[in-house]
Amino acid sequence: GWQRRAAAMLRRSLWLCLCLCSCPARGLRIHEYLYFQVLSPGDIRYIFTATPAKDFGGVFNTRYDQIHLVPADPPEACGELNNGVFIQDQIALVERGGCSFLSKTRVIQEHGGRAVIIADNAYDNDSFYIEMIQDSTRRTADIPALFLLGRDGYMIRRSLEQHGLPWAVISIPVNVTSIPTYEMMQPPWTFW
């Protein structure tokens, strides 16, 4: 339990140190982490880790204590959404694939979403963060776009389906530096 977590945290810290020491002075932009907490449904009341898009999208200027995380329908969000009305002023959960990360972000922005969380379509991915980069179209997006591990996205969607819920309630972003390590509620399927 805690030994494995401590070892994983040490590995992550060493990796971060190596990156900071070997990366140019531009700063660490490769794997900045952003955290959000699912408040409801209760069976996935965990703190999840996501990574911001590398070179497109906005940043979180506001902390949302309770906002809906609405799975897009269709999940890949490459065109018109069937549930776009529910995404207005909320955050969309989208699945990777079918079109570029930027295209998905623009679809959610056009539906009035405040941000988009794009989960990997590899449901067994519990450790590899993909760098979301600009496509070749020279378009832009103003809302934040985050990448989520496939396992995390799958578990969130599965919980919503099991409870018959149209969305989760989340807090985003969450400042994890103010939370004591023993209170950090990471998903049990994620190794830190």
Side-chain angles (χ1 to χ4, degrees):
W2 69 268
Q3 291 108 331
R4 190 181 69 222
R5 272 202 200 113
M9 283 175 79
L10 182 63
R11 278 195 305 276
R12 184 176 283 180
S13 296
L14 288 170
W15 179 88
L16 195 61
C17 184
L18 283 171
C19 273
L20 285 171
C21 297
S22 62
C23 291
R26 292 194 308 272
L28 182 68
R29 186 69 184 109
I30 299 165
H31 272 311
E32 285 178 354
Y33 292 102
L34 191 138
Y35 303 91
F36 67 94
Q37 181 172 20
V38 172
L39 304 173
S40 159
D43 61 331
I44 53 166
R45 195 181 165 102
Y46 300 115
I47 292 175
F48 292 89
T49 305
T51 54
K54 182 181 163 84
D55 58 6
F56 70 89
V59 295
F60 281 94
N61 295 319
T62 309
R63 180 175 188 272
Y64 301 100
D65 289 320
Q66 290 193 355
I67 191 166
H68 294 159
L69 179 62
V70 183
D73 175 23
E76 290 181 343
C78 290
E80 192 58 36
L81 300 178
N82 300 322
N83 65 339
V85 66
F86 296 113
I87 287 169
Q88 176 84 38
D89 292 325
Q90 307 302 323
I91 296 176
L93 178 62
V94 170
E95 211 168 290
R96 181 181 177 204
C99 60
S100 71
F101 292 121
L102 178 58
S103 292
K104 295 170 187 299
T105 304
R106 289 178 56 88
V107 166
I108 299 308
Q109 181 174 310
E110 287 160 15
H111 283 85
R114 300 222 175 148
V116 60
I117 297 175
I118 303 170
D120 196 353
N121 52 4
Y123 297 160
D124 58 346
N125 178 6
D126 61 5
S127 60
F128 183 69
Y129 289 89
I130 290 169
E131 197 169 73
M132 296 195 305
I133 57 171
Q134 178 77 266
D135 60 20
S136 57
T137 62
R138 294 201 175 148
R139 298 173 300 168
T140 59
D142 301 318
I143 63 170
L146 304 173
F147 182 80
L148 183 65
L149 296 173
R151 172 68 53 87
D152 292 347
Y154 169 76
M155 297 301 274
I156 291 169
R157 283 190 303 273
R158 191 183 81 169
S159 174
L160 294 175
E161 286 168 18
Q162 287 173 342
H163 293 285
L165 295 171
W167 52 68
V169 178
I170 67 170
S171 284
I172 188 168
V174 173
N175 180 1
V176 295
T177 58
S178 64
I179 303 171
T181 308
Y182 62 88
E183 285 181 18
M184 283 283 287
M185 286 292 294
Q186 296 110 7
W189 57 86
T190 301
F191 298 107
W192 277 50

